[in-house]
Amino acid sequence: MKLGSLKEGGRDGTLIVVDRAVKKAVRATGVAPTLQKALDDWTTAEPKLRALAQQLADGKAAGAFDLDTKALAAPLPRAYQWADGSAYVVHVELVRKARGVEMPPSFWTDPLMYQGGSDSFIGPNDDIEAVDEAHGIDFEGEIGVIVDDVPMGVTPEAARRHIRLVTILNDVSLRNLIVTELAKGFGFFHGKPATAFAPVAVTPDELGDAWDGGKLNLPLISTLNGKEFGHPNAATDLTFDFGQLIAHAAKTRHLEAGTVVGSGTVANRDAGVGCSCIAERRVRETIDSGKPATPFMSFGDRIRIEMFDRAGQSIFGAIDQKVARYTP
């Protein structure tokens, strides 16, 4: 089952059920007005949403319409919590190597995680608004999951059973702001603008044997200005799966239904598969030749992030965004 949200009905959008090809949709307001409301009462809402999805697949859903992804918000236009991990420790290792900084051994056993801004996610075709190119505008291709209510102290094994939806996202970063923020020793803020999400989030069964309950075994493809930038596999070199990330997030707090947990930038040790962000390519260039060669994004640049199943069908639809100048 694939779910999305139209940019209508208020800040939380209008819940829709989307077909497997991400071409047709039907409003699900008879079940729940928003995805958050569905997640709040998932036990009741899920079977009704699945019945509607079957009607859509059979061509019998009343009010079905052709889907225009430009009309979509993020599946959750805003969330109670957005916790982003760094599950691909090879990515962190490369960054620190380029800076000549030794990586603590604990990074391999204790996940890194920060709490991002979740009051306003953006849709798959919304512009990446930026004030200044000098901020170092970068994309970050990631996997994300949406959970139901998760109890504090949950084990990784039990945490996997709380995953209700899976999606992909672009965790936009302003690299040159992040450097100065990290130097203060208090985390990100200005360096992390609004995160963009794919057109749909899907229930794990949609992923077939590519999903093992905690990780997704498929390449994530990033295309910058029409040229492939990278296709690392989301299961390769994954240090912490989503069970471990969710358990880490719930170590000292309960997670409310609708919490979004991110994987961090998908990265593989094999340089031949490319990268899911510009910063990693610049790091590899620095290690290889002493300095970076690839610039960060400029106004007018376009990034596309997508994942295909083994039959070649787009699973979540594409994140396809342009960098645009924002004038206050």
Side-chain angles (χ1 to χ4, degrees), residues 60-310:
K60 298 178 180 178
F65 58 91
D66 293 334
L67 186 64
D68 177 6
T69 59
K70 292 183 178 64
L72 293 178
L76 272 177
R78 56 179 176 171
Y80 290 117
Q81 185 163 218
W82 159 223
D84 196 19
S86 189
Y88 300 87
V89 180
V90 62
H91 173 75
V92 182
E93 183 182 42
L94 283 167
V95 171
R96 293 178 76 90
K97 182 178 179 181
R99 289 165 49 201
V101 178
E102 186 176 347
M103 192 172 75
S106 63
F107 280 27
W108 294 101
T109 57
D110 190 30
L112 294 170
M113 185 170 283
Y114 79 93
Q115 190 153 354
S118 61
D119 56 328
S120 180
F121 294 140
I122 58 176
N125 299 136
D126 291 343
D127 287 344
I128 299 170
E129 294 182 324
V131 174
D132 192 341
E133 291 177 346
H135 288 168
I137 307 161
D138 199 358
F139 66 92
E140 287 192 56
E142 301 189 17
I143 313 300
V145 300
I146 303 171
V147 300
D148 61 8
D149 291 317
V150 179
M152 182 168 60
V154 70
T155 66
E157 294 73 21
R160 296 180 188 105
R161 297 194 289 273
H162 289 278
I163 297 170
R164 293 292 168 250
L165 297 166
V166 183
T167 190
I168 59 173
L169 56 97
N170 179 12
D171 181 38
V172 179
S173 291
L174 303 177
R175 300 294 185 183
N176 295 335
L177 298 185
I178 286 175
V179 172
T180 55
E181 287 191 303
L182 289 181
K184 296 178 180 180
F186 210 58
F188 305 125
F189 196 85
H190 294 147
K192 287 291 186 179
T195 301
F197 283 73
V200 299
V202 310
T203 48
D205 58 285
E206 282 285 333
L207 304 170
D209 63 4
W211 176 256
D212 73 350
K215 63 178 179 291
L216 183 49
N217 186 14
L218 289 168
L220 183 64
I221 302 170
S222 299
T223 305
L224 181 60
N225 294 328
K227 183 177 180 181
E228 185 182 299
F229 199 86
H231 60 274
N233 189 292
T236 304
D237 299 316
L238 178 68
T239 308
F240 305 105
D241 72 12
F242 277 106
Q244 294 168 295
L245 291 176
I246 295 165
H248 181 78
K251 183 176 181 178
T252 59
R253 67 178 77 175
H254 302 287
L255 306 182
E256 300 298 315
T259 293
V260 185
V261 178
S263 67
T265 308
V266 177
N268 292 172
R269 191 171 296 278
D270 177 10
V273 301
C275 307
S276 296
C277 70
I278 296 171
E280 184 180 314
R281 177 177 283 186
R282 287 169 61 88
V283 162
R284 290 184 181 275
E285 290 167 345
T286 299
I287 293 169
D288 291 343
S289 63
K291 62 180 181 179
T294 302
F296 289 119
M297 298 174 78
S298 301
F299 298 131
D301 283 352
R302 184 173 292 277
I303 179 64
R304 183 181 180 95
I305 303 171
E306 197 165 10
M307 179 176 278
F308 298 89
D309 64 21
R310 295 190 175 104

Side-chain angles (χ1 to χ4, degrees), residues 2-4 16-20 22-25 56 67 200:
K2 302 189 177 188
L3 304 174
I16 57 174
V17 173
V18 181
D19 71 350
R20 299 201 72 187
V22 195
K23 298 294 185 184
K24 293 276 189 179
L56 182 63
L67 186 64
V200 299

